[in-house]
Amino acid sequence: MASGFIKTKDGTEIFYKDWGPKDAQPIVFHHGWPLSADDWDAQMLFFLANGYRTVAHDRRGHGRSTQVDTGNDMDHYAADASAVVEHLDLRNAVHIGHSTGGGEVARYVARYGQPQGRVAKAVLVSSVPPLMLKTPNNPGGTPLSVFDGFRAALAANRAQFYRDVASGPFYGFNRPDAKVSQGVIDNWWRQGMMGGAIAQYEGIKAFSETDQTDDLKAMAVPTLILQGDDDQIVPYKDASMLQVKLVQNGTLKIYKGYPHGMLTTHADVINPDLLAFVKG
């Protein structure tokens, strides 16, 4: 099947896509908040054209997966990803995560992928680990008030909030020299509104308050870390610059002027870099 659903131990149905030759090396994609597997279209088509098997799933509560009111946390995100991998029996896989999906990759690799011997490499793109929230031990983090603002805006008018995020900081469309794409904005909004409000509301806590320092330290597979220095969502100095110091075998690349959503706005640059890492 090119797509389908798997049911997790708690009864949640997780939607997945599985494209390409089943005997080819699998590339597994983990999307950001509050999106879906559709956010990886540019990468899935690119890797498919290069002969790889491409797999992506909708996180619980997002996209076409069940709109659950429980388990909206990083532990369940990683367990759900593992359930998809085990169902498809993926081996020697490269796991690529964006933003919240990068946190999902880190926890998946540390708790499932490496112990099971299923993961070959990992990529963290504009990713949230080790910890987004500002704390005494993480003084460079983002204040809690910012995330409280996200929750308040989502609860008050989710549709407008998602318009504002997509048309502003996510893709850097609020910059004076930005080349704005209405189609990209509409697609972000479409994906966000497909998911459940409660899962996305609770997901803010999951991506901002989960300390993944130990997950990163446990990652022994070759890990590529990519981020733009104009990321207005996840500050790179508190994310990628710390990630490369914590993983055991990391390579860091910072893109000057690129936004948080650079996988979409600069796919022509990022995709060949991903392919070179996968092949290397």
Side-chain angles (χ1 to χ4, degrees):
M1 292 180 64
S3 66
F5 290 87
I6 63 111
K7 185 170 286 189
T8 67
K9 292 178 180 178
D10 68 356
T12 303
E13 291 191 329
I14 302 294
F15 172 83
Y16 69 88
K17 307 177 189 183
D18 180 12
W19 301 345
K22 300 306 178 271
D23 58 348
Q25 184 177 20
I27 314 295
V28 185
F29 298 95
H30 304 248
H31 67 80
W33 177 95
L35 305 172
S36 73
D38 293 354
D39 202 44
W40 291 106
D41 285 353
Q43 285 70 44
M44 291 187 72
L45 292 173
F46 174 82
F47 276 96
L48 187 65
N50 279 277
Y52 291 87
R53 180 179 184 178
T54 59
V55 176
H57 69 283
D58 291 352
R59 187 171 299 121
R60 63 170 53 213
H62 295 65
R64 289 139 292 207
S65 293
T66 309
Q67 293 194 11
V68 289
D69 61 354
T70 57
N72 297 304
D73 54 68
M74 203 62 75
D75 286 346
H76 281 83
Y77 296 168
D80 293 347
S82 182
V84 173
V85 169
E86 293 172 51
H87 174 75
L88 298 175
D89 195 24
L90 304 179
R91 300 180 184 276
N92 193 38
V94 178
H95 286 262
I96 303 177
H98 175 244
S99 196
T100 301
E104 182 177 290
V105 166
R107 183 143 296 181
Y108 165 77
V109 170
R111 295 193 179 180
Y112 301 94
Q114 284 180 167
Q116 295 173 352
R118 291 182 178 274
V119 59
K121 296 180 180 180
V123 184
L124 307 179
V125 184
S126 310
S127 295
V128 298
L131 175 63
M132 284 197 73
L133 183 68
K134 182 178 182 178
T135 66
N137 293 327
N138 187 41
T142 303
L144 179 63
S145 59
V146 172
F147 302 114
D148 286 342
F150 289 174
R151 281 182 277 263
L154 189 156
N157 189 337
R158 182 169 64 132
Q160 186 60 53
F161 177 46
Y162 287 178
R163 282 272 184 235
D164 295 342
V165 172
S167 62
F170 196 92
Y171 296 110
F173 289 159
N174 54 344
R175 297 306 193 203
D177 58 346
K179 183 179 179 181
V180 178
S181 168
Q182 189 61 47
V184 166
I185 294 169
D186 291 347
N187 190 43
W188 199 99
W189 185 88
R190 175 191 67 85
Q191 291 179 72
M193 295 305 293
M194 283 173 65
I198 187 169
Q200 294 168 354
Y201 184 94
E202 294 178 349
I204 295 170
K205 180 181 179 68
F207 74 65
S208 65
E209 298 184 35
T210 305
D211 189 335
Q212 297 195 258
T213 301
D214 290 341
D215 293 332
L216 293 172
K217 288 180 176 179
M219 293 178 70
V221 297
T223 303
L224 179 64
I225 297 165
L226 306 177
Q227 193 163 12
D229 70 359
D230 194 32
D231 190 326
Q232 300 174 66
I233 304 295
V234 179
Y236 79 101
K237 291 182 179 178
D238 198 51
S240 57
M241 299 292 286
L242 300 181
Q243 293 159 17
V244 74
K245 296 177 181 178
L246 292 168
V247 299
Q248 298 176 39
N249 187 7
T251 301
L252 172 66
K253 184 167 185 178
I254 302 293
Y255 298 86
K256 185 173 179 57
Y258 283 21
H260 187 65
M262 64 184 187
L263 283 159
T264 297
T265 59
H266 296 82
D268 59 327
V269 175
I270 306 297
N271 286 353
D273 287 350
L274 293 173
L275 180 61
F277 174 70
V278 170
K279 286 184 171 182

